């Protein structure tokens, strides 16, 4: 614990995704005091056409009160 899932548009290289995961792990270790071996990171690619209904509506708009960082966009408008 913890497990972090990053959802993003396709097109980032494996190197970019690996670097992102490494940075997330480093920051989680620092911020939460978690051991490296207890952290897992998944990256899920979601197409731009699917984003509004599979990510934004259920995970962002539908959980606004749980977001510690809110986005500055709304694809539903």
């Amino acid at each position: 614990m913890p497990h972090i899932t990053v959802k993003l548009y396709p097109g980032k290289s494996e190197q970019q995704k690996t670097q992102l995961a490494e940075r997330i792990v480093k920051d989680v270790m620092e911020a939460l005091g978690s051991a490296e071996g207890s952290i897992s990171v998944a990256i899920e690619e979601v197409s731009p056409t699917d984003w509004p209904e599979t990510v934004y509506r259920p995970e962002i708009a539908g959980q606004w009160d749980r977001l510690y960082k809110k986005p500055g966009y709304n694809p539903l408008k």
Side-chain angles (χ1 to χ4, degrees):
M1 129 46 205
H3 173 72
I4 297 99
T5 301
V6 176
K7 296 184 180 189
L8 49 74
Y9 287 175
K12 301 300 180 191
S13 70
E14 288 301 310
Q15 180 181 2
Q16 288 172 307
K17 291 185 276 187
T18 298
Q19 184 177 40
L20 176 60
E22 290 169 352
R23 289 183 182 188
I24 289 169
V25 168
K26 181 180 174 222
D27 286 346
V28 169
M29 290 171 59
E30 182 180 317
L32 301 181
S34 299
E36 182 176 1
S38 70
I39 302 165
S40 55
V41 178
I43 295 180
E44 181 180 335
E45 294 183 337
V46 178
S47 74
T49 56
D50 291 337
W51 190 269
E53 294 302 323
T54 62
V55 177
Y56 191 88
R57 187 181 302 277
E59 296 188 30
I60 297 172
Q63 299 189 45
W64 200 255
D65 59 328
R66 294 179 51 198
L67 296 177
Y68 284 83
K69 166 55 176 92
K70 295 172 174 57
Y73 71 97
N74 183 345
L76 303 177
K77 287 186 176 184

